DNA sequence: GGTTTGCGGATATTATATATCCTTAATTCC
DNA sequence: GGAATTAAGGATATATAATATCCGCAAACC
C-alpha cells in the first residue's frame, strides 16, 4: 500500500502556489524545474488538481496554475484525493460468499465485519488529512526553511512566472 | 493506494483459526476451499503470518496452522502488517533537495513538513488497527452470522482438520 | 503569426500484485 | 519401513498499476 509519488509532488507544488502573489500564475515548467521533476508527468498531477477545482489555470505565456481558493480553505485530504482518488484502501471482495455452508442471501444485510474495521481505519487516515489545511503546511515550512532560502525560492519562481 | 487482497484473506483465515478447538490445526487446503481462494497463493499469505509468529505450524496429515496466541492478544495491525509489510504508505523522496536556491545541507535536520503530516495520518490508520483485537472481530462475526451457519462452518472445517 | 501554455489521448517502460509450479524436509498413518 | 500429506520456499509466468514520454489541439499572449 504505497501512495503515488504524484501525491508528494502535488503537495509541494500547492505549497509553492500558496505563496504566490495575488493574481500570478506558475507554469508546469517552473514547478518541474524547481522540484527537479519530469515536466510531462508532473503535468498529469497538476491536471488532477485542476479537475478537482483546487487550482485555476490560464493559457499562454505568463499562464499556468494558481490556487482556486485561499490556502486556509484547502485541506491536505482534498489534494491527496485529487491525485490518488477517493477509493478506500481496502476493497472487500466478499469472500464470505464462497463459504460452502452459507446458503445464498444470508449475511448480506451489512458489509463484512472485516471490511468495517478496515474502513474505520481508512476514515481515521482521511480525518487526519482533512484536519490539516494547506495554510498549516505553509506555516510549518516557513518555520523549517531558513528565511533567506524561502525568499530566494520565490524570487526564482517569480522570475519564471511571466 | 490499495491493500493486497492477501490482507483480506489473512484476516478471514485468522478469524476461522480463532474458532478452532485447542490444539487443532487447519491446513491451507481447507482454508482455501472454505473461502474459494487459490490454494498456492493463499499459502504465501499464511507463510507471512507464520514468519510474523502469529501462527504455529506443523507438518504432515492433520497438520496446518493454528494461532500462536489467544485471539485477544492479536491485533488487526499485526495481521495486516505481517502481510502488507510495515513500511509507511507515504515515502518522502525529499524533492526539496532539488530546489536550486537551496545550498546543500540546509533544512536537513528534520524530515520534510509534508512527510510529517502524511506520517501522522499513517499513524492514525495504524492506531485504529492496533486497537482492534482479533477477538473483537470474532465477536462481531458471531453476531452477524446466523448461529446455525456459524456452527455448520466449523463442522465443515473440523472434518478437514484431521 | 509565432510562441507559450494547459489539456487530453496514445504509447512505452518499469514495478508490483497475482498466480502457478516444483522441490525439499518434516510428520502422520498404515 | 513406506506411502501420503503438509508447510516452506525458490523459480517463473501473467495481469495490473505506476511511471514516463510524445504528440496534436485550442486558447492566450506578444
Amino acid at each position: 500500500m504505497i501512495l503515488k509519488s504524484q501525491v508528494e509532488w502535488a503537495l509541494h507544488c500547492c505549497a509553492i502556489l500558496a505563496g504566490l502573489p495575488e493574481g500570478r500564475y506558475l507554469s508546469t515548467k517552473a514547478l518541474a524545474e524547481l522540484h527537479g521533476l519530469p515536466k510531462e508527468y508532473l503535468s498529469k498531477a497538476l491536471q488532477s488538481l485542476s479537475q478537482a477545482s483546487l487550482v485555476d489555470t490560464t493559457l499562454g505565456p505568463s499562464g499556468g496554475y494558481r490556487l482556486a481558493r485561499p490556502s486556509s480553505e484547502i485541506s491536505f485530504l482534498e489534494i491527496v484525493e485529487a491525485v490518488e482518488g477517493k477509493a478506500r484502501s481496502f476493497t472487500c471482495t466478499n469472500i464470505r460468499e464462497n463459504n460452502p455452508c452459507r446458503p445464498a442471501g444470508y449475511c448480506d444485510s451489512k458489509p463484512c465485519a472485516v471490511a468495517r474495521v478496515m474502513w474505520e481505519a481508512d476514515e481515521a487516515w482521511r480525518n487526519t488529512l482533512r484536519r490539516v489545511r494547506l495554510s498549516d503546511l505553509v506555516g510549518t515550512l516557513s518555520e523549517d526553511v531558513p528565511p533567506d532560502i524561502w525568499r530566494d525560492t520565490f524570487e526564482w519562481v517569480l522570475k519564471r512566472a511571466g
Side-chain angles (χ1 to χ4, degrees), chain A:
Chain A
M1 187 188 57
I2 294 217
L3 291 164
K4 329 193 204 195
S5 52
Q6 286 193 338
V7 170
E8 182 184 15
W9 304 355
L11 288 166
H12 279 278
C13 286
C14 284
I16 297 293
L17 292 181
L20 274 189
E22 187 72 15
R24 301 291 287 274
Y25 292 84
L26 200 52
S27 70
T28 306
K29 185 154 170 288
L31 286 166
E33 283 172 6
L34 177 64
H35 294 113
L37 300 174
K39 174 174 161 314
E40 309 276 1
Y41 194 33
L42 173 63
S43 165
K44 303 293 183 187
L46 298 173
Q47 283 174 41
S48 298
L49 296 178
S50 172
Q51 282 198 313
S53 300
L54 295 177
V55 296
D56 290 333
T57 69
T58 188
L59 292 176
S62 87
Y65 297 87
R66 74 178 177 197
L67 293 185
R69 284 176 262 153
S71 63
S72 58
E73 294 171 22
I74 296 180
S75 71
F76 252 61
L77 182 63
E78 288 178 283
I79 299 171
V80 171
E81 285 190 338
V83 173
E84 187 68 31
K86 300 194 176 190
R88 289 190 271 222
S89 57
F90 179 86
T91 54
C92 174
T93 62
N94 247 313
I95 60 179
R96 58 179 177 166
E97 293 278 348
N98 301 323
N99 183 333
C101 310
R102 207 195 62 96
Y106 269 65
C107 6
D108 294 339
S109 44
K110 327 183 188 181
C112 174
V114 168
R116 294 211 300 277
V117 173
M118 295 305 295
W119 291 344
E120 185 191 333
D122 196 273
E123 262 311 298
W125 180 76
R126 291 187 144 80
N127 281 334
T128 302
L129 296 179
R130 209 186 323 264
R131 282 193 291 265
V132 181
R133 295 170 298 178
L134 180 55
S135 53
D136 298 329
L137 173 64
V138 175
T140 312
L141 276 173
S142 49
E143 285 170 23
D144 285 6
V145 178
D148 52 326
I149 296 185
W150 195 242
R151 192 174 5 87
D152 287 358
T153 301
F154 276 98
E155 273 178 27
W156 186 94
V157 142
L158 286 173
K159 223 183 315 175
R160 275 142 235 262

